[in-house]
Amino acid sequence: MIEYENLAKLNAPFNLEFEQQFSNVLQSGWFILGSKVREFERQFADYLKSKYCIGVASGLDAITLSLHACRFERGSEVIVPSNTYIATILSILHNDLKPVLAEPDINSYNINPAEIERCITSKTKAILAVHLYGKCCEMDPILDICKKYNLVLIEDCAQSHGAKYKGIQSGQFGRFAAFSFYPTKNLGALGDGGAIICKSYDDELAIKRLRNYGSDKKYYNEVIGFNSRLDEVQAAFLTVKLKYLEKINQHKRKLAGLYQQYLKEDFIKPEMHPDFYDVFHIYTVRHPQRDQLKQFLLKREIQTEIHYPLSPHRQKAMQGIIQGEYPLSDEIHQTTLSLPVSFSHSEDDILKVIETMNRF
Ligand SMILES: *Cc1c(COP(=O)(O)O)cnc(C)c1O
């Protein structure tokens, strides 16, 4: 069986280092907001050539706290891609803001800048750009729109650790960039975790307060905060994982390259362009008989996934909240299939998937 993902196998090369780190934290007796979190925050900020990084409890919290720190008036509108993962939309709703869905580009699966501009009203305050599947959004026109309409840019980088647009890394564009370290992400912890990257001291201070009960000084509360902290053990594991992020990304790119080269043209493959350095959090193809294809592969011992089966606007939780038709999002959700592309897969695994797929 070729599994879609195997997290034990993926992490096995790092187990000795993890055990050492775990033992250090255990012996230190310090489990929340200590030296390991500071060390990881410093390293991840350096990795992104950024000034500030604040560890938080999850990717969802990273987006939610970033929006919170902007202090937009209740009911303000935030533009978000119609085919994003639900977390992006939840972060807007948790701030009493209004998600406005812009359709993606059918070739890149990322938000279409022309659609963003059509969605702008006098209430629009921000664009939440999601770098989906490990490919950066087309940033030049998005940055132009932010400037022209005076909008805040927040990046959802949960799927794009290390992805680049014109040589600039995802996470370097926005006022805030939100990362998730959910175990399956390119930079995955051994549990939940997230981080926010920002450029100004004031924003850093605001986020640091928000993640820790609104406090900078123990038992003194400046604002109404949350409990959303990256813990020491996960931060320690992440310092190990970060050293191998480039290696993990390169491996995934190599596997994706095999699909690009050898999969027959019946499958709609991801678009690749020299301006974009993609890190393939997910390698997706589209096919009109997606469900039959998935079954065909499963019968031949190949597991695949669907990211995602149902558009956000069709989710039960969004009834009465999101109106309108999003045909491109639906089209993607109906035809997309995610193929094995993990650090735990070998080139031989992928060649076997290709050979099987080409018989479909
Ligand atoms: C995974 C993911 C999130 C949420 O991250 P968690 O750490 O699971 O909260 C947000 N946005 C996108 C695009 C994601 O893929």
Side-chain angles (χ1 to χ4, degrees):
M1 173 71 82
I2 298 179
E3 292 164 291
Y4 179 71
E5 178 69 283
N6 183 327
L7 291 173
K9 201 169 158 193
L10 187 159
N11 284 302
F14 320 118
N15 279 356
L16 280 177
E17 286 183 79
F18 287 151
E19 281 163 16
Q20 186 59 51
Q21 290 289 346
F22 177 74
S23 162
N24 291 348
V25 174
L26 187 61
Q27 277 162 33
S28 79
W30 195 288
F31 304 115
I32 300 287
L33 297 186
S35 62
K36 281 292 161 191
V37 168
R38 280 196 300 276
E39 183 184 335
F40 174 69
E41 287 173 340
R42 186 69 265 135
Q43 289 176 1
F44 199 54
D46 288 347
Y47 174 73
L48 283 153
K49 299 168 201 74
S50 177
K51 224 164 169 177
Y52 303 108
C53 169
I54 309 101
V56 296
S58 70
L60 170 61
D61 281 5
I63 329 171
T64 306
L65 298 192
S66 296
L67 275 169
H68 200 92
C70 294
R71 304 166 61 97
F72 297 131
E73 210 176 304
R74 183 187 266 254
S76 298
E77 294 175 2
V78 178
I79 296 174
V80 63
S82 58
N83 60 325
T84 188
Y85 179 57
I86 199 73
T88 326
I89 294 171
L90 294 179
S91 72
I92 299 169
L93 295 171
H94 289 326
N95 279 290
D96 291 323
L97 303 170
K98 185 175 176 222
V100 174
L101 275 54
E103 285 265 79
D105 178 313
I106 193 74
N107 298 310
S108 71
Y109 310 127
N110 276 328
I111 197 163
N112 181 343
E115 290 295 318
I116 295 179
E117 208 155 7
R118 283 187 347 108
C119 290
I120 291 174
T121 72
S122 58
K123 287 188 174 169
T124 309
K125 289 288 185 294
I127 298 172
L128 228 167
V130 185
H131 309 295
L132 213 57
Y133 303 155
K135 179 195 280 298
C136 279
C137 298
E138 202 188 339
M139 292 313 301
D140 280 347
I142 293 176
L143 292 167
D144 286 346
I145 291 168
C146 287
K147 224 186 216 161
K148 184 169 162 194
Y149 297 94
N150 193 24
L151 304 177
V152 172
L153 176 67
I154 298 174
E155 300 176 70
D156 178 344
C157 302
Q159 302 192 359
S160 67
H161 316 72
K164 291 179 200 147
Y165 169 75
K166 297 189 175 173
I168 302 170
Q169 269 173 286
S170 74
Q172 297 183 321
F173 296 98
R175 172 168 160 194
F176 292 104
F179 286 85
S180 163
F181 306 124
Y182 184 79
T184 61
K185 310 290 186 183
N186 288 31
L187 178 58
L190 306 183
D192 275 314
I196 296 167
I197 291 287
C198 65
K199 298 180 167 82
S200 88
Y201 174 77
D202 288 348
D203 281 340
E204 189 220 15
L205 183 66
I207 299 287
K208 278 193 156 171
R209 284 176 173 168
L210 286 174
R211 78 169 168 185
N212 192 27
Y213 295 116
S215 161
D216 330 304
K217 190 174 155 202
K218 206 171 179 184
Y219 306 133
Y220 291 86
N221 308 93
E222 306 296 326
V223 294
I224 295 174
F226 301 83
N227 174 354
S228 179
R229 301 171 298 218
L230 179 65
D231 67 66
E232 287 284 288
V233 173
Q234 295 306 331
F237 293 149
L238 285 165
T239 60
V240 174
K241 230 31 197 302
L242 182 57
K243 289 189 291 179
Y244 299 100
L245 175 57
E246 287 306 311
K247 199 172 161 191
I248 291 168
N249 283 347
Q250 275 165 22
H251 186 80
K252 287 166 81 73
R253 281 172 55 81
K254 190 171 63 189
L255 302 184
L258 293 174
Y259 285 130
Q260 290 296 91
Q261 193 174 354
Y262 297 117
L263 272 183
K264 64 179 178 180
E265 299 302 320
D266 299 33
F267 306 107
I268 304 174
K269 300 180 223 174
E271 181 185 72
M272 289 184 78
H273 184 278
D275 281 350
F276 295 80
Y277 181 89
D278 304 330
V279 296
F280 295 99
H281 170 58
I282 286 164
Y283 182 92
T284 177
V285 293
R286 286 193 299 121
H287 193 280
Q289 273 100 46
R290 188 267 316 274
D291 294 335
Q292 289 94 314
L293 173 60
K294 189 175 191 345
Q295 283 313 312
F296 176 89
L297 293 171
L298 193 59
K299 261 196 219 135
R300 287 154 187 84
E301 309 233 292
I302 294 168
Q303 286 181 349
T304 55
E305 285 283 345
I306 296 173
H307 297 98
Y308 300 94
L310 191 64
S311 287
H313 71 280
R314 296 195 180 278
Q315 299 289 350
K316 191 172 163 210
M318 295 300 149
Q319 296 320 301
I321 295 174
I322 299 173
Q323 276 89 29
E325 303 279 316
Y326 303 93
L328 291 183
S329 175
D330 283 336
E331 167 83 18
I332 293 167
H333 285 80
Q334 282 156 17
T335 56
T336 191
L337 188 69
S338 307
L339 307 181
V341 70
S342 166
F343 189 62
S344 66
H345 292 117
S346 66
E347 290 183 57
D348 280 348
D349 291 333
I350 303 313
L351 291 172
K352 177 152 181 263
V353 177
I354 293 168
E355 190 255 320
T356 310
M357 286 194 53
N358 286 348
R359 284 191 276 122
F360 178 71

